Amino acid sequence: MRQGFHSHSHSHRGGAMAGALILLLPLLFPCLFTPFSHALPSVLSEWNTPKPRHSRLLKSALQRQTSDEQQAELWMPLAQRGWKPCVRSDSSSTVLPEKSQGYIQVFLDGGLNQQRMGICDAVALAKILNATLIIPHLEVNPVWQDSSTFMDIFDVDHFINVLKDDISIIKEVPDEYFWSTREYYATAIRATRVKTAPVHASANWYLDNVLPLLQSYGIAAIAPFSHRLAFDNMPEDIQRLRCKVNFQALVFVPHIRAVGDALVSRLRNPPTRSEVDSSKYIKAVADSKDKRGTGKFVVLHLRFDKDMAAHSACDFGGGKAEKLALAKYRQVIWQGRVLNSQFTDEELRSQGRCPLTPEEIGLLLAALGFDNSTRLYLASHKVYGGEARISTLRNLFPLMEDKKSLASSEERAQIKGKASLLAAVDYYVSMHSDIFISASPGNMHNAVVGHRTYENKKTIRPNMALLGQLFLNKSLTWPEFREAIVEGHKSRQGLLKLRKPEQSIYTYPAPDCMCNA
């Protein structure tokens, strides 16, 4: 009996040790476990919660006081700046030719905002070629693994109706071209696929290289297409058409707008807990629109995800574990390649090339005059380091909200696990906020800043180089930091900047999309 017991005991311990070894194998030999290696960075980063890097400034910021005069100036809407939206095409150019040259397909990669710009360019290209546009195909993003289609995100009937006088648009590939699918082009080189379009190609490049395909085969598929149409040397009617698509034709599907409206209403008029829990809350919001507008709120796009952190080559204070995690992620995703790797962390910061951490963007907002009663909406995908990384920002702004804290479980169920739909809700809320600020430049920043410029809404653009230099100076007092921040951001709170050559029409809509009033 005893022998049996010992045998069972040894067997149990052996099984436990084997189980532990199996659990440790992915950590000891991550290259053998590719799926796990994608999750490895976030696992490692949690082992070493980063401490505040600017504790002296943070201590003062937590005790800050702002005058009523400072608050009034901060929240004051922008004055009219002598420019107004101007996207109508000339009447002479709105007559559609009787015969289309053929069908154009485009395949758009990247996130929601990069795809949005590609859609605008696709409409412009269809106009240039006198082609019929098939609703663009949105590629599955390799990072977020989101398979949302154009029709899942944008109101397709509105899109077609707004542009009906400019180009012909159809929802699906015609029956005679049933073979022209993404899978078809992925399997081999095809005569009807264009994969050589240079970045920012001219209108003439497409007339020379794509129009003959349309005339020969009746269809052409361009993949990749993101950033493949130039911003300069375009006819005025083509530029105005791109603006019309971006600012009039592209609206989100009704359920995204409904969730967005509900979040905006709750930010302006904080609901009671029982209201948030009610599945009928969206209807209640729709029935009480007259109560909106009483409170103000800021949207903060905190662009601090794992991709951004890994790609920047900067140090974010997470110690050896974080450095190892980011190095591993770079190896898995980009075979070790990284931006700016030839510079030291100090050089990158002084040049403004490091993404702002939640702590640093919190200190910027505090120095600008936002107090701890400010309602802040966090528009972001997953923040690298999770809640531990956000906690400092939350201490500075306790009334900080996001989709999870504001939306009911029923509302969240409609967009859960879909990065593009989540981004669409954030974009919608960002466009309805009193002030928008992005922690680091990127496609979301560019798209929202351009759209808010077009609608004359206030946006604060962080002075990245100034902030990098200030955060490197560890002897700086809070009054010195605050004075430098206020002075360095006077011209970065909604000042309209005219587009320069090669700059994006979607980030700088004047003068192409706007008329001098």
Side-chain angles (χ1 to χ4, degrees):
M1 188 77 176
R2 183 171 295 179
Q3 186 180 358
F5 172 79
H6 279 299
S7 171
H8 177 77
S9 177
H10 283 304
S11 168
H12 182 77
R13 278 203 299 270
M17 287 178 69
L21 185 61
I22 288 168
L23 288 172
L24 284 170
L25 276 173
L27 295 175
L28 297 172
F29 305 100
C31 57
L32 300 176
F33 296 82
T34 304
F36 183 81
S37 63
H38 283 268
L40 187 65
S42 58
V43 172
L44 286 173
S45 64
E46 293 297 325
W47 291 353
N48 192 7
T49 302
K51 295 175 183 174
R53 305 189 82 187
H54 313 288
S55 49
R56 287 175 73 251
L57 291 175
L58 187 59
K59 186 177 179 182
S60 299
L62 287 166
Q63 299 166 352
R64 70 196 184 279
Q65 290 184 333
T66 13
S67 66
D68 292 343
E69 185 183 352
Q70 200 176 2
Q71 286 287 303
E73 187 178 345
L74 194 59
W75 291 100
M76 190 179 294
L78 291 177
Q80 291 302 318
R81 296 168 293 183
W83 291 85
K84 63 180 182 180
C86 186
V87 301
R88 295 287 177 195
S89 303
D90 297 331
S91 57
S92 60
S93 65
T94 57
V95 179
L96 286 178
E98 286 184 17
K99 188 174 184 301
S100 164
Q101 295 283 357
Y103 298 98
I104 281 284
Q105 286 179 291
V106 297
F107 299 98
L108 302 174
D109 53 15
L112 172 70
N113 295 294
Q114 183 173 317
Q115 290 170 337
R116 182 188 186 102
M117 296 168 198
I119 293 164
C120 299
D121 287 347
V123 171
L125 179 59
K127 183 74 171 178
I128 290 167
L129 297 175
N130 180 27
T132 298
L133 179 68
I134 300 167
I135 288 293
H137 175 91
L138 309 186
E139 303 275 33
V140 176
N141 188 294
V143 176
W144 309 127
Q145 292 296 314
D146 185 357
S147 57
S148 298
T149 66
F150 183 105
M151 296 181 197
D152 292 330
I153 304 167
F154 299 107
D155 186 329
V156 69
D157 292 325
H158 176 86
F159 179 76
I160 293 171
N161 186 55
V162 168
L163 299 171
K164 68 180 186 297
D165 294 329
D166 299 288
I167 65 164
S168 297
I169 305 173
I170 58 173
K171 294 180 182 180
E172 295 177 350
V173 179
D175 290 343
E176 64 265 37
Y177 300 106
F178 70 92
W179 44 266
S180 192
T181 63
R182 188 68 188 93
E183 293 70 28
Y184 172 79
Y185 290 112
T187 54
I189 296 171
R190 309 290 182 181
T192 50
R193 177 184 171 182
V194 179
K195 62 184 296 186
T196 55
V199 172
H200 297 156
S202 67
N204 284 337
W205 188 93
Y206 287 100
L207 290 167
D208 293 341
N209 293 276
V210 180
L211 186 57
L213 287 182
L214 290 177
Q215 292 168 336
S216 298
Y217 298 99
I219 193 166
I222 309 172
F225 184 68
S226 298
H227 308 296
R228 290 304 195 277
L229 187 64
F231 291 115
D232 300 329
N233 303 315
M234 285 286 168
E236 184 180 288
D237 66 315
I238 295 297
Q239 297 291 68
R240 290 280 168 88
L241 179 56
R242 290 164 110 168
C243 306
K244 184 177 181 180
V245 182
N246 196 29
F247 302 127
Q248 293 183 10
L250 283 176
V251 302
F252 297 122
V253 291
H255 76 262
I256 288 177
R257 301 201 306 269
V259 172
D261 280 334
L263 300 190
V264 169
S265 180
R266 288 165 207 171
L267 284 160
R268 296 209 182 282
N269 312 282
T272 63
R273 177 50 49 194
S274 60
E275 286 177 321
V276 172
D277 292 339
S278 170
S279 61
K280 298 177 181 175
Y281 191 75
I282 283 185
K283 185 178 186 305
V285 167
D287 292 342
S288 60
K289 286 188 177 181
D290 56 317
K291 294 180 183 177
R292 290 185 194 174
T294 54
K296 293 180 168 62
F297 71 96
V298 183
V299 167
L300 168 61
H301 179 233
L302 188 56
R303 191 169 180 238
F304 197 74
D305 55 39
K306 191 161 52 181
D307 253 32
M308 187 78 175
H311 218 206
S312 68
C314 300
D315 177 20
F316 301 106
K320 289 182 180 178
E322 184 171 273
K323 286 180 181 176
L324 176 64
L326 293 177
K328 179 64 194 172
Y329 186 79
R330 289 179 199 123
Q331 196 61 46
V332 170
I333 302 296
W334 306 298
Q335 291 74 52
R337 295 190 305 274
V338 63
L339 292 173
N340 309 315
S341 54
Q342 71 271 31
F343 297 104
T344 65
D345 181 70
E346 194 165 304
E347 287 170 335
L348 290 171
R349 289 190 181 282
S350 63
Q351 295 167 21
R353 296 193 191 186
C354 290
L356 297 175
T357 64
E359 176 190 0
E360 289 167 344
I361 195 73
L363 288 169
L364 167 63
L365 290 171
L368 286 170
F370 292 101
D371 62 20
N372 62 6
S373 68
T374 301
R375 293 193 67 77
L376 197 64
Y377 176 84
L378 207 55
S380 298
H381 200 66
K382 290 180 180 177
V383 173
Y384 181 61
E387 186 56 39
R389 184 82 72 174
I390 300 174
S391 59
T392 308
L393 176 63
R394 199 178 295 282
N395 289 340
L396 286 166
F397 297 97
L399 300 183
M400 189 167 73
E401 306 280 6
D402 57 22
K403 291 178 288 293
K404 192 172 181 181
S405 67
L406 278 177
S408 69
S409 55
E410 288 87 350
E411 291 160 356
R412 291 199 304 275
Q414 299 178 59
I415 54 177
K416 189 177 180 181
K418 296 285 187 181
S420 294
L421 304 189
L422 293 165
V425 169
D426 282 341
Y427 188 104
Y428 188 89
V429 176
S430 297
M431 282 307 301
H432 288 77
S433 66
D434 298 277
I435 300 172
F436 173 80
I437 181 167
S438 182
S440 301
N443 288 323
M444 168 85 168
H445 165 95
N446 294 342
V448 174
V449 166
H451 204 153
R452 288 179 67 90
T453 299
Y454 179 78
E455 294 190 4
N456 199 42
K457 293 181 175 179
K458 197 167 195 176
T459 301
I460 299 176
R461 294 179 300 111
N463 187 332
M464 301 295 285
L466 171 68
L467 285 160
Q469 291 157 22
L470 292 177
F471 286 131
L472 284 169
N473 185 350
K474 299 300 180 185
S475 63
L476 213 59
T477 64
W478 176 251
E480 291 169 336
F481 176 78
R482 187 175 58 192
E483 185 181 348
I485 289 292
V486 170
E487 192 60 36
H489 288 81
K490 277 184 177 175
S491 63
R492 304 179 73 87
Q493 299 189 39
L495 186 70
L496 187 143
K497 298 174 74 173
L498 298 184
R499 188 176 75 84
K500 296 176 183 175
E502 297 186 13
Q503 287 184 328
S504 169
I505 193 173
Y506 309 119
T507 310
Y508 302 97
D512 303 86
C513 307
M514 304 179 78
C515 300
N516 199 317

